[in-house]
Amino acid sequence: MFAMAMPPSEGNLSGNYLNNRAPLLTKPYVELPIGAIKPEGWLEEQLLRMATGMTGHLDSVYVAVMGPRNGWLGGDGDVWERGPYWIDGLLPLAYILNDKALIDKVQPWIEWALASQKPNGYFGPDTDRPNEPGLQRGNSYDWWPKMVMLKVMQQYYSATGDERVISFLTNYFKYQLQELPKTPLGNWTFWGEQRGGDNLLVVYWLYNITGEEFLLELGELIHKQTLNWTDIFLNQDHLKRQHSLHCVNLAQGFKEPVIYYQQNKDAKQIQAVKKAVTDMRNTIAFPTGLWAGDELLRFGNPNLGSELCTAVEMMYSLEKMLEITGDVQWADHLERIAYNVLPTQITDDFSARQYYHQINQIAISRSWRDFVTPHEDTDNLHGVLTGYPCCTSNMHQGWPKLVQNLWYATADNGVAALVYAPSNATIKVANGTEVQLKEETAYPFEETINFTIRFVDKKVKKTFFPFHLRVPAWCKQPVVRLNGEVIPADVYRGEIVRINREWQQGDKLTLELPMHIEASYWFDHGAVIERGPLIYSLKMEEKWAKKSMEAEKIKNYGSWYYEVTSGSPWNYALTSRQLKPEAIDEHFKVEKSSIISRYPWTLEDAPIKIIGKGRQIPSWTMYRGSAGSVPFFTQQGPDTLPEETIELIPFGCTTLRITEFPVRN
């Protein structure tokens, strides 16, 4: 009745959804059509705020680029990545919410791209024009922005089944096969060469539909012309030295070894990405699942920055890696980023965003911080264009694509819940029976996830199919219940449990994931308090002030921005003996709200608090807008004041915070 999930065999393919076609590797999990998964609870509220905020109105908020002058609408304006970036997030949002107004905004971009295709297969803008402040009017032939539009077209087909997409992509990929030997991915800019994995994944997707052999040849060519991420991760030292790579290129390149693994099936492709995570852990890594990169890679000092594009692109990479490998590590990593970084780097009403965020962030201000690429001291401000506009265009894919990866169809004709959030999904199982799955939870704040199973056809009373559940690696004592009774199955942390059963109408499956307070150690042995998928930060008073940008800088940085300051103390250290596993529960106490807000990612509505003790370090003071240098680990004598009570809340609920704390004896 119950068994651990095993990789599917070649003869055990799902007949309900499109898996990889031979000779590509069979995937254990298959993404569902856009619209099959709907958000509920706080996640639905998150998407609705996107629709009423910048995502739904970027054509009027950022009219210079996203308005009718955009080259991807046939205009004489921006011809590069920004227009496709916006649609890459707006399209899934529009169809997930079934929002006609948003769908109507998407359609002109689709129609223009389809109509732009030339007889040789080329599509997109084809005219370079003189520079104009705030616009990217050159490199119209560059392969890179077209890679974003390929993802848009793939999603459009998923949502609508419009067959024009298939011939459109087929013709373009024939064009690529002919042209790439003469003008390779890096011909115009290095972005295409480093981000070729985005191109490759759509080539394989189309091959699974059409079976045309030339697509496999093209796949080999694209992989060969893409930066060799496998070798970088396995044999080179890029992740162990500063300034070696661009932060977002690393996030996008991270998936390429796994994408190509579908074709070459060499285990070193998987070994490469796992080694990369291990190498990053004690060099560039942040406790959020990201890394210091502002814009070039840095060692993981919590005062350095991490770009918003890095977050959404790494999420997308992890989503594709999870689908291909079924490895729990990538789902854990995905939740780490989504449930810590995304809520804090974009304002609650989706009207502004930060280009870089800091792990220890004590002010949002016009200070020249120690960033590699500082953009005239605007990088950590909350604004529409502050820092650099790429994130204004690209941030929108984060939440909708997370929704798309909460549920999967499985290669054994079942269902899989691998990333957790309140939602519902309609999925075909067994021999095509449609099942409705409702996931009720306030995860990641709540430890219990309830699933209810119903059949679309009321005449169906029971059907046999496997139900896959992920058990996060951080959960020590998971429990699975069926209709209130504990399932007598082996359920282990960091694995997927597969429940094979003849499911009946109204069955209730419950997954309990007890969360425990732990301390982890990062830059210079600074301590971070964790609980489940969330990391916790010092709660600080926050004073928001909206300010005007100087007239001569408006075209580059927007007309306004928010500064956020605080008068509350932040310079606390934690005590080493209180952080030991055997003592931490005695000194840090969890307080849960009885009611979880519809939108919980705020200072006031944080559903979980951790109360502990801290000691101020008087000599730890502000420097250039950031928490100044301090020995996070030291063997010097006492440098702290007496102990006092401090309050920690989820990182995603904060704007100002200390997250990595110095540790004192």
Side-chain angles (χ1 to χ4, degrees):
M1 180 177 175
F2 308 110
M4 298 308 298
M6 299 296 291
S9 67
E10 289 292 331
N12 191 25
L13 303 183
S14 172
N16 298 318
Y17 298 94
L18 188 71
N19 205 314
N20 276 342
R21 180 191 293 260
L24 298 182
L25 180 85
T26 301
K27 296 182 294 187
Y29 300 110
V30 181
E31 186 177 343
L32 298 168
I34 292 177
I37 306 169
K38 299 293 186 183
E40 295 191 351
W42 71 259
L43 187 55
E44 181 185 32
E45 177 65 21
Q46 184 74 67
L47 266 63
L48 291 173
R49 290 180 180 223
M50 293 180 67
T52 57
M54 266 204 287
T55 307
H57 296 88
L58 205 58
D59 50 343
S60 56
V61 172
Y62 193 19
V63 66
V65 168
M66 302 305 180
R69 284 191 64 196
N70 191 283
W72 287 92
L73 293 173
D76 67 346
D78 204 283
V79 299
W80 212 51
E81 65 184 4
R82 295 178 193 171
Y85 265 161
W86 176 40
I87 306 305
D88 191 32
L90 179 63
L91 189 151
L93 176 71
Y95 282 99
I96 288 170
L97 294 179
N98 194 26
D99 186 317
K100 185 179 185 303
L102 298 186
I103 292 171
D104 289 345
K105 286 194 179 191
V106 166
Q107 200 62 32
W109 298 77
I110 300 296
E111 296 300 334
W112 188 89
L114 290 170
S116 73
Q117 190 160 57
K118 299 176 185 290
N120 67 356
Y122 178 88
F123 78 95
D126 60 3
T127 304
D128 290 350
R129 295 180 172 88
N131 181 59
E132 186 176 323
L135 300 180
Q136 295 174 311
R137 302 176 86 208
N139 291 319
S140 60
Y141 273 85
D142 190 10
W143 299 107
W144 157 238
K146 293 172 182 60
M147 295 181 193
V148 185
M149 207 63 189
L150 296 178
K151 290 161 53 186
V152 170
M153 288 299 186
Q154 179 189 23
Q155 293 177 97
Y156 175 66
Y157 182 85
S158 173
T160 68
D162 190 332
E163 288 296 331
R164 294 180 297 168
V165 171
I166 304 305
S167 57
F168 172 83
L169 292 178
T170 299
N171 292 336
Y172 177 66
F173 289 145
K174 287 179 178 177
Y175 169 80
Q176 278 200 304
L177 187 61
Q178 181 180 359
E179 292 296 320
L180 281 174
K182 297 176 286 185
T183 52
L185 294 179
N187 183 72
W188 285 281
T189 70
F190 69 87
W191 304 104
E193 181 181 50
Q194 299 205 9
R195 300 174 176 184
D198 291 65
N199 199 149
L200 185 61
L201 66 88
V202 183
V203 170
Y204 290 155
W205 174 82
L206 183 63
Y207 171 74
N208 291 330
I209 294 174
T210 69
E212 294 200 58
E213 293 292 329
F214 86 90
L215 292 167
L216 297 180
E217 181 184 353
L218 177 60
E220 292 285 4
L221 179 60
I222 290 171
H223 171 71
K224 185 177 180 180
Q225 291 191 3
T226 300
L227 188 68
N228 192 339
W229 291 102
T230 302
D231 191 64
I232 284 174
F233 295 158
L234 285 178
N235 303 313
Q236 301 183 37
D237 67 350
H238 290 66
L239 304 183
K240 299 177 182 177
R241 59 184 172 89
Q242 298 196 100
H243 310 150
S244 59
L245 294 167
H246 185 275
C247 56
V248 184
N249 284 345
L250 174 57
Q252 292 189 250
F254 205 88
K255 64 180 170 291
E256 200 278 342
V258 180
I259 300 297
Y260 182 59
Y261 174 67
Q262 296 172 100
Q263 185 166 2
N264 85 330
K265 304 177 185 177
D266 188 336
K268 75 177 183 181
Q269 307 294 128
I270 304 299
Q271 294 165 5
V273 289
K274 286 182 172 287
K275 182 176 184 294
V277 172
T278 300
D279 288 347
M280 291 160 61
R281 176 60 175 83
N282 294 306
T283 55
I284 64 173
F286 279 156
T288 53
L290 296 176
W291 46 85
D294 50 25
E295 295 174 351
L296 302 181
L297 299 189
R298 311 285 298 278
F299 293 140
N301 185 322
N303 290 336
L304 301 179
S306 184
E307 187 179 328
L308 177 53
C309 281
T310 304
V312 296
E313 292 293 357
M314 187 59 175
M315 284 176 60
Y316 183 65
S317 287
L318 291 164
E319 286 156 2
K320 305 317 291 184
M321 292 161 64
L322 175 61
E323 179 185 354
I324 293 165
T325 66
D327 192 329
V328 167
Q329 176 179 351
W330 309 128
D332 288 355
H333 200 148
L334 172 60
E335 287 189 352
R336 187 89 160 185
I337 298 170
Y339 295 152
N340 291 289
V341 175
L342 267 197
T344 181
Q345 208 162 353
I346 305 170
T347 55
D348 297 338
D349 62 359
F350 248 78
S351 69
R353 89 293 176 272
Q354 270 185 306
Y355 188 57
Y356 304 141
H357 79 276
Q358 298 168 290
I359 302 300
N360 286 355
Q361 186 166 270
I362 61 171
I364 306 292
S365 61
R366 294 287 293 277
S367 297
W368 199 294
R369 291 170 173 80
D370 293 339
F371 299 147
V372 171
T373 313
H375 298 106
E376 298 187 79
D377 68 20
T378 68
D379 282 299
N380 92 325
L381 301 174
H382 279 280
V384 174
L385 301 180
T386 46
Y388 196 72
C390 59
C391 293
T392 302
S393 309
N394 192 23
M395 67 179 186
H396 313 280
Q397 66 171 312
W399 288 116
K401 290 183 181 177
L402 183 76
V403 171
Q404 272 303 105
N405 289 273
L406 298 176
W407 291 90
Y408 296 94
T410 69
D412 55 11
N413 282 331
V415 302
L418 302 187
V419 179
Y420 299 124
S423 61
N424 69 78
T426 302
I427 308 176
K428 293 178 183 177
V429 298
N431 293 320
T433 300
E434 280 195 317
V435 62
Q436 290 180 329
L437 301 140
K438 186 176 181 66
E439 180 176 352
E440 296 176 283
T441 184
Y443 188 92
F445 309 105
E446 192 174 79
E447 298 162 284
T448 300
I449 304 164
N450 294 300
F451 303 96
T452 303
I453 298 162
R454 297 192 183 281
F455 300 108
V456 175
D457 185 346
K458 302 303 181 186
K459 296 177 182 177
V460 177
K461 301 303 180 185
K462 54 187 178 181
T463 298
F464 183 93
F465 62 90
F467 196 130
H468 298 227
L469 289 171
R470 157 181 151 261
V471 179
W474 50 258
C475 185
K476 299 173 183 176
Q477 296 174 311
V479 177
V480 181
R481 299 180 189 272
L482 177 62
N483 298 323
E485 299 296 324
V486 174
I487 289 179
D490 293 331
V491 182
Y492 298 112
R493 59 194 292 186
E495 294 188 5
I496 290 171
V497 61
R498 185 176 65 189
I499 304 168
N500 296 321
R501 183 175 188 272
E502 188 173 61
W503 299 92
Q504 300 186 39
Q505 185 83 324
D507 272 347
K508 294 187 180 298
L509 186 67
T510 301
L511 177 63
E512 297 172 7
L513 300 173
M515 300 178 185
H516 303 281
I517 300 174
E518 296 180 312
S520 59
Y521 296 89
W522 298 81
F523 180 80
D524 194 30
H525 209 63
V528 173
I529 300 299
E530 305 183 13
R531 182 177 176 272
L534 301 182
I535 60 175
Y536 285 74
S537 304
L538 180 71
K539 183 178 182 180
M540 294 175 59
E541 167 192 311
E542 296 178 0
K543 299 176 182 177
W544 288 68
K546 192 172 185 178
K547 301 199 171 185
S548 297
M549 186 66 70
E550 303 91 300
E552 67 275 13
K553 295 185 178 182
I554 287 176
K555 281 197 173 180
N556 285 332
Y557 303 118
S559 59
W560 59 270
Y561 60 89
Y562 287 114
E563 285 194 344
V564 189
T565 56
S566 178
S568 57
W570 53 265
N571 52 349
Y572 289 96
L574 304 180
T575 302
S576 59
R577 60 179 172 77
Q578 296 180 359
L579 299 176
K580 293 180 178 179
E582 64 272 16
I584 196 166
D585 287 337
E586 177 185 348
H587 297 283
F588 291 85
K589 301 296 184 182
V590 175
E591 293 185 1
K592 303 178 182 179
S593 296
S594 57
I595 299 175
I596 295 181
S597 166
R598 172 82 174 173
Y599 187 81
W601 302 106
T602 68
L603 205 65
E604 298 76 23
D605 290 327
I608 306 290
K609 301 175 183 177
I610 296 179
I611 307 300
K613 300 289 186 179
R615 299 173 181 270
Q616 279 189 260
I617 303 177
S619 61
W620 189 16
T621 57
M622 180 183 286
Y623 169 73
R624 290 173 59 168
S626 299
S629 178
V630 67
F632 286 84
F633 173 81
T634 180
Q635 294 183 349
Q636 69 184 32
D639 63 345
T640 60
L641 297 179
E643 197 171 68
E644 58 182 287
T645 299
I646 59 172
E647 181 179 329
L648 309 179
I649 61 174
F651 184 96
C653 298
T654 68
T655 300
L656 304 183
R657 57 186 167 258
I658 293 293
T659 310
E660 290 188 35
F661 290 87
V663 177
R664 296 295 183 262
N665 293 326

